Amino acid sequence: MTNSRIAAIDVGNDSLKGIFGKMDAEVNIPNVIARDVEDRPIIGIEELDTQDPLDGIHIRVHSPALKDNNAIYRVGNLATKSNNSTELDPGSSKSEEDQTLVMLFASIALDAARNGSDFKKNNNVIEANYTLGTGLPLREVKEGKDVGYRSRLVGSVHQVEFLVTPRYQGIKVNIKFDEVKVYPEGFAAFINLVMDNNSNIINKDLIDKRILIQDIGGLSTDIAVIKDRKVDDDKAQGFNLGVSESLELIREEIRSRHGIELDSRRDVVEIITKKNDRNHIMVKGSRTSVHDIVDRIMLELAKKQYRHLRNMWQKNSQTEICYFIGGGSSVLKEYIKTLNNNLDGYNIDFFEDEKESIWMMANAYYKLIGDFTRKTQKQQAPKEEQKLAKTK
């Protein structure tokens, strides 16, 4: 454990959020990949190392955990520019997709390359050991898929080779996991609300309340029922309803009506959430509103999300508050608030700090894996002292 670096990673449907080490590094990468060739053509190769590695992630991934082993990918920003880019589809299981693992390995390899002095390095090969905290939707955990997901990660070496990537070209990272903890996302959100990074309770008013946590993601929505400081597994529910399908509908309608091709769902999110010129695009150099398209499609999705809230509250009538979290909640916040004000008036809350809401899972995994690491080190300390005593 002593040479193991902490990684807390939320592979969200919109983007991967990762926190590493002693919170000394973080990364945010769009969850988009594209198959590629080894020698991708670039202009000005001599200027490659002046660019940001995050804008040029080009890797070969070798891992027994992958169905398609030894494949070459563009990842993140670089993949959004490809004609063959893929994003996770509605109905897919995060735990069973190669894309989830490719994103996970890529983010860890980037951290290892950036912090190479923490690990052994020999001839451009970095031997990187990590203690990983990550999570899966409640629906997948209830189906037992977390066990298989964890087993694919531990006990194997996963190699990421940087190909035509700024600063890291030619570097190979061998990733080994000393420990992997896979948490249900709803429970992780609760932990983030009540615990700080040192496992201290920070919200005593909340800790014994009956709470709903509605986590709206790209492909799915999880509603966790918190009672007696833990998730009620029997009552928690997951739904195949996220924002991705609605974002695709907006993207398609903008294409058909205005002839504008947006690279990815992330571009649609930026149009909807940007502070200035919200719900506007540029058409032939002219600022053009797409407000009617966005409002119609997003309001329809908000109504579906609100129906889930209403049904869950009816089944858990003693609920005191529902927290909306996740990237989808940030996009739907104003629509859901308006519906609630005009209809049932439930006690609901959103996180006004957009980054706090989007990074909530990664922060929660960091708190949980940090707590696990501290407890493990405490247990190991007496054993080490006993070994030292015997050698004297």
Side-chain angles (χ1 to χ4, degrees):
M1 294 292 288
T2 51
N3 296 324
S4 198
R5 183 168 166 85
I6 284 179
I9 297 176
D10 170 27
V11 187
N13 295 308
D14 174 63
S15 67
L16 176 146
K17 281 77 65 178
I19 303 171
F20 300 93
K22 296 179 179 177
M23 299 195 85
D24 52 82
E26 65 179 42
V27 68
N28 190 347
I29 308 170
N31 191 352
V32 185
I33 63 173
R35 290 294 294 270
D36 203 12
V37 295
E38 186 164 350
D39 296 317
R40 71 176 178 93
I42 59 169
I43 298 168
I45 193 163
E46 67 280 355
E47 296 174 2
L48 184 68
D49 285 347
T50 64
Q51 298 169 16
D52 187 341
L54 285 176
D55 291 330
I57 304 171
H58 182 236
I59 56 175
R60 178 187 281 114
V61 188
H62 179 82
S63 166
L66 296 171
K67 300 184 193 86
D68 197 356
N69 197 1
N70 227 30
I72 294 169
Y73 297 97
R74 296 180 178 212
V75 176
N77 294 328
L78 188 65
T80 63
K81 301 169 186 174
S82 298
N83 294 326
N84 63 329
S85 63
T86 61
E87 300 175 77
L88 293 175
D89 295 320
S92 61
S93 292
K94 194 185 287 188
S95 58
E96 296 173 343
E97 296 289 335
D98 269 6
Q99 180 156 341
T100 304
L101 294 177
V102 170
M103 293 297 301
L104 183 80
F105 297 149
S107 67
I108 290 173
L110 279 170
D111 179 70
R114 186 167 45 191
N115 299 279
S117 59
D118 287 4
F119 305 111
K120 290 179 182 176
K121 186 176 180 181
N122 185 25
N123 293 331
N124 275 351
V125 179
I126 297 171
E127 302 293 339
N129 287 65
Y130 280 84
T131 298
L132 173 66
T134 189
L136 289 174
L138 277 168
R139 174 177 52 86
E140 294 187 49
V141 174
K142 287 179 78 170
E143 292 169 359
K145 292 180 178 178
D146 55 320
V147 178
Y149 185 63
R150 180 184 180 277
S151 67
R152 290 163 72 189
L153 294 173
V154 296
S156 299
V157 177
H158 316 278
Q159 185 183 82
V160 174
E161 178 185 359
F162 289 103
L163 301 174
V164 190
T165 301
R167 300 181 206 168
Y168 305 139
Q169 188 169 7
I171 291 176
K172 295 180 180 179
V173 181
N174 290 334
I175 301 166
K176 294 178 187 174
F177 294 107
D178 295 306
E179 183 57 86
V180 173
K181 292 290 184 182
V182 182
Y183 303 103
E185 290 176 349
F187 173 67
F190 174 66
I191 289 296
N192 194 63
L193 288 168
V194 300
M195 182 191 291
D196 67 12
N197 288 332
N198 296 310
S199 306
N200 299 314
I201 300 300
I202 54 173
N203 199 334
K204 291 180 180 177
D205 293 338
L206 195 61
I207 195 164
D208 289 319
K209 282 187 176 180
R210 294 192 179 189
I211 303 166
L212 296 180
I213 296 176
Q214 189 154 336
D215 178 14
I216 305 175
L219 304 181
S220 61
T221 295
D222 285 325
I223 305 183
V225 180
I226 310 293
K227 182 182 174 185
D228 299 328
R229 306 188 183 194
K230 60 181 183 290
V231 175
D232 187 329
D233 290 330
D234 294 325
K235 291 189 174 181
Q237 283 190 263
F239 307 94
N240 288 325
L241 177 70
V243 296
S244 292
E245 204 163 343
S246 296
L247 295 175
E248 284 295 344
L249 288 172
I250 294 169
R251 188 176 166 193
E252 178 58 38
E253 194 156 335
I254 288 173
R255 183 193 297 122
S256 62
R257 191 187 297 187
H258 298 290
I260 299 299
E261 186 73 48
L262 300 171
D263 288 335
S264 67
R265 297 170 197 154
R266 169 64 71 90
D267 290 342
V268 183
V269 172
E270 286 178 5
I271 289 165
I272 295 171
T273 58
K274 61 186 177 181
K275 297 292 182 283
N276 299 317
D277 289 340
R278 184 171 167 263
N279 289 337
H280 283 77
I281 60 171
M282 297 304 292
V283 179
K284 298 177 182 177
S286 297
R287 182 174 167 274
T288 304
S289 174
V290 290
H291 218 295
D292 59 330
I293 298 173
V294 172
D295 275 359
R296 187 181 74 256
I297 293 172
M298 282 303 177
L299 182 58
E300 191 58 38
L301 176 59
K303 287 176 181 176
K304 292 176 183 176
Q305 291 288 351
Y306 195 76
R307 278 197 289 273
H308 284 316
L309 169 69
R310 179 184 282 158
N311 291 339
M312 286 296 285
W313 208 302
Q314 285 174 349
K315 293 173 185 175
N316 301 277
S317 62
Q318 296 309 295
T319 295
E320 294 175 68
I321 188 169
C322 177
Y323 285 97
F324 281 86
I325 66 167
S329 291
S330 297
V331 173
L332 290 171
K333 178 168 64 176
E334 297 308 320
Y335 300 100
I336 291 173
K337 280 183 176 179
T338 300
L339 285 171
N340 191 51
N341 289 339
N342 293 334
L343 297 170
D344 301 299
Y346 291 115
N347 185 18
I348 64 174
D349 201 2
F350 292 78
F351 290 86
E352 299 305 323
D353 183 337
E354 206 168 282
K355 183 178 179 183
E356 184 183 0
S357 179
I358 292 169
W359 281 80
M360 177 171 281
M361 289 303 173
N363 284 323
Y365 301 149
Y366 188 87
K367 292 173 182 181
L368 286 161
I369 199 65
D371 185 53
F372 166 79
T373 302
R374 283 189 294 273
K375 286 176 179 174
T376 303
Q377 288 172 344
K378 275 185 182 179
Q379 290 169 358
Q380 287 179 344
K383 294 177 185 176
E384 294 298 324
E385 288 172 7
Q386 287 173 7
K387 283 181 185 177
L388 283 171
K390 285 179 183 178
T391 57
K392 287 181 181 176

